[in-house]
Amino acid sequence: MERPELNTVQATIEQLTGRVPDSIEAVKPPSGGLESWSYRVSSSGQALWLKINHSPDTMLGIHFNQRLREANIPTPEVVAWSANADPIGLPCVLSTHVAGDTANWLQIKMCPYDESQCGSLLRQIHSLEFDGPYCFLGDAEPISTLCPITEDWATMFPCEHAARRCLELGWLAKSQADTLAKLPDLLSSELGSAPKRLLHMDFLYNGNLILETGTRKIIAAVDGAEAMAGDPRLELAYFDYGFPGSRWPFNMAAFREGYGTHHDPLDDLNRFYMVNLLLFTRFAEGDLNIPMATPNILLLQTLLRTFE
């Protein structure tokens, strides 16, 4: 789909706000922002940012944004939003514009932001409880397109399905597939006591942290479209999987100090979450991450051997 014309965007803003904007400027989305168009908007002297998703029935992260705002965690204020605003018919959100640099991992000489502050900010988010089921938060209510809506955290991880597919694809031997299928039962006690906290689940993606211009100081977190309610250890597993021994520069010790806990990245629960992060792109459909790179298959096999 092509980028909407400015007259269509103007009509959409009028529909959202009830007034004609002073100016609209199409801008490139943050690095890595491949699923939306972005516009810098001025309206009644206020600097705003308009995000329009490319596809219908996709999320904007409204509920997550509201929870962060209520907790005074730095994030833009939503001025108006719609799941299908006329005349464009696509999900869009108009927010206050936070002036600064977007965190960009394409420049890998050093981590783009302060790791200790990153840990502290994520811990603030993870401290927010959710009074409802384990789920992806959606915008107005939980959605089931990315994972189940469930009171049983273990059902979030369709390991039996994954085991069958991995065996069919030749990724795992029969004994390893059997181990994978049994993991939720093996860890039923730990999974049964998992907390329901807010998770960003896309914290490391390019552009999702806004930095003070010219510095590594984080001034806002954005884009909670993939936010969910679940165990914070699942999101922490992204860090434990992504950085140790990788080419990406990241001071894990500073991150953990800022986060304030020193969990063991190799304990049973964390290894289980790493297995599932390797396997799934969408928990709800048991949508395996295909094609999976050979190093990840080897890591998957290594992790499963630790449960045998």
Side-chain angles (χ1 to χ4, degrees):
M1 185 175 181
E2 295 184 358
R3 177 187 279 270
E5 299 290 339
L6 287 183
N7 60 338
T8 303
V9 175
Q10 177 174 313
T12 300
I13 295 172
E14 291 181 47
Q15 176 71 18
L16 288 171
T17 65
R19 58 181 181 269
V20 178
D22 302 326
S23 64
I24 308 169
E25 177 189 1
V27 296
K28 290 183 178 180
S31 300
L34 304 178
E35 299 175 350
S36 62
W37 297 287
S38 296
Y39 299 85
R40 188 176 290 113
V41 178
S42 176
S43 180
S44 300
Q46 187 176 23
L48 303 174
W49 189 269
L50 176 67
K51 172 185 172 182
I52 301 175
N53 286 357
H54 292 177
S55 303
D57 302 319
T58 51
M59 297 300 105
L60 299 163
I62 303 301
H63 181 83
F64 184 77
N65 174 276
Q66 292 171 343
R67 288 296 308 276
L68 264 59
R69 295 281 303 177
E70 291 168 1
N72 294 317
I73 295 173
T75 193
E77 179 183 1
V78 171
V79 175
W81 72 280
S82 174
N84 54 355
D86 291 330
I88 203 166
L90 292 170
C92 54
V93 57
L94 190 65
S95 306
T96 53
H97 176 49
V98 179
D101 298 331
T102 56
N104 185 352
W105 279 99
L106 298 180
Q107 305 294 327
I108 61 171
K109 293 181 180 179
M110 64 185 302
C111 176
Y113 39 77
D114 180 278
E115 292 95 333
S116 177
Q117 189 192 7
C118 174
S120 176
L121 179 59
L122 190 61
R123 180 63 180 272
Q124 291 179 64
I125 294 172
H126 287 173
S127 70
L128 301 179
E129 298 180 350
F130 184 70
D131 184 17
Y134 300 107
C135 61
F136 269 83
L137 299 179
D139 290 323
E141 59 185 20
I143 58 171
S144 59
T145 53
L146 296 178
C147 73
I149 299 174
T150 177
E151 290 292 343
D152 183 359
W153 180 237
T155 63
M156 192 74 69
F157 309 100
C159 291
E160 287 190 15
H161 167 81
R164 289 193 298 271
R165 289 291 290 132
C166 288
L167 188 60
E168 292 169 1
L169 291 165
W171 292 352
L172 298 178
K174 178 65 165 59
S175 61
Q176 293 168 329
D178 289 344
T179 298
L180 173 58
K182 296 174 183 176
L183 284 183
D185 289 337
L186 179 67
L187 300 175
S188 60
S189 177
E190 293 92 332
L191 295 172
S193 59
K196 295 173 186 172
R197 302 293 178 85
L198 294 198
L199 316 180
H200 187 287
M201 294 305 290
D202 210 12
F203 211 58
L204 298 176
Y205 199 64
N206 280 331
N208 284 353
L209 294 175
I210 308 299
L211 311 178
E212 183 180 75
T213 301
T215 77
R216 301 173 68 226
K217 179 182 178 181
I218 302 168
I219 56 175
V222 300
D223 195 357
E226 296 189 16
M228 64 183 297
D231 185 354
R233 292 286 300 275
L234 176 63
E235 184 157 23
L236 290 174
Y238 273 114
F239 291 81
D240 293 320
Y241 159 66
F243 290 117
S246 78
R247 68 190 181 97
W248 303 104
F250 191 83
N251 187 334
M252 184 63 78
F255 169 80
R256 288 184 179 168
E257 182 178 357
Y259 189 85
T261 64
H262 298 277
H263 67 277
D264 181 0
L266 296 179
D267 71 9
D268 287 349
L269 195 57
N270 209 66
R271 297 197 321 279
F272 171 78
Y273 289 147
M274 289 174 70
V275 164
N276 283 278
L277 291 175
L278 285 168
L279 285 172
F280 298 116
T281 54
R282 291 175 177 235
F283 294 132
E285 302 169 3
D287 183 9
L288 291 186
N289 189 9
I290 300 173
M292 186 187 284
T294 299
N296 282 351
I297 295 174
L298 294 175
L299 177 57
L300 175 63
Q301 294 171 346
T302 298
L303 287 169
L304 289 174
R305 278 196 292 270
T306 67
F307 289 103
E308 294 176 350

